[in-house]
Amino acid sequence: MKGVPDIMMDSHCENIGVLFDCGINELGVSPETMTYYFIRSGAAKLMSTWHPRLSAGMDCMEFLEWCLERNGLNPPNILASGGISTRPEYWAGYMMAEYQWFYEHSFMEILDKVPFVKIVESYHPLHEAPEEKFYEAMEHWMGKI
């Protein structure tokens, strides 16, 4: 059974995309450290089974601040930069969330087998490819095919 209701999928994926994009690009956190914060905050576990407050009850920036605060950090006041990003880190977070939902692997399993930086590095050429190509690449990296 898929955790995220279809109607909430975009919000769920956007929150994870912005978490990685802004954490890495706006705050200067390394991809490895942002992955650690995502896992340590409990968000990875909660988002794997869909958590209404985190997936839909918070906007993207509130979700990022929540994750950082759960790691004992006092996040700076970050203003959204005028819309959803098209940077590779956003795409990687969004697509990882879609993949997690579609294939029902936990974020813990995904990030244990596929470092977030590897997903970011797949931006070229996969961001212009059909989503199925990304899913196929992820299944290969996960050792599922």
Side-chain angles (χ1 to χ4, degrees):
M1 170 179 252
K2 294 188 185 334
V4 181
D6 290 351
I7 196 165
M8 303 309 301
M9 218 23 227
D10 278 339
S11 175
H12 178 80
C13 293
E14 285 173 6
N15 279 2
I16 294 170
V18 168
L19 172 81
F20 282 96
D21 179 35
C22 287
I24 293 165
N25 293 306
E26 304 298 326
L27 299 178
V29 176
S30 73
E32 295 82 7
T33 301
M34 201 65 240
T35 298
Y36 173 77
Y37 290 162
F38 179 55
I39 292 169
R40 187 169 181 266
S41 71
K45 182 177 182 180
L46 293 170
M47 295 289 270
S48 288
T49 58
W50 190 68
H51 191 279
R53 179 171 173 240
L54 300 181
S55 293
M58 294 182 178
D59 69 27
C60 304
M61 301 313 289
E62 290 171 326
F63 178 63
L64 171 61
E65 290 174 357
W66 182 89
C67 286
L68 295 175
E69 287 170 353
R70 298 274 305 220
N71 279 282
L73 302 171
N74 186 13
N77 186 11
I78 308 166
L79 299 176
S81 58
I84 300 301
S85 173
T86 57
R87 295 183 286 212
E89 293 81 6
Y90 172 81
W91 174 87
Y94 191 100
M95 292 303 295
M96 177 179 65
E98 264 195 13
Y99 171 78
Q100 182 276 326
W101 175 81
F102 193 71
Y103 284 86
E104 301 183 20
H105 303 305
S106 72
F107 285 112
M108 299 289 290
E109 180 185 4
I110 293 167
L111 292 167
D112 183 52
K113 295 181 179 180
V114 184
F116 185 74
V117 71
K118 184 174 185 84
I119 300 170
V120 172
E121 290 169 352
S122 74
Y123 180 78
H124 290 292
L126 291 179
H127 82 283
E128 293 292 338
E131 292 172 345
E132 292 76 20
K133 292 288 185 188
F134 174 78
Y135 301 152
E136 184 179 305
M138 285 294 291
E139 284 289 277
H140 176 73
W141 298 331
M142 293 280 293
K144 303 292 184 182
I145 57 173

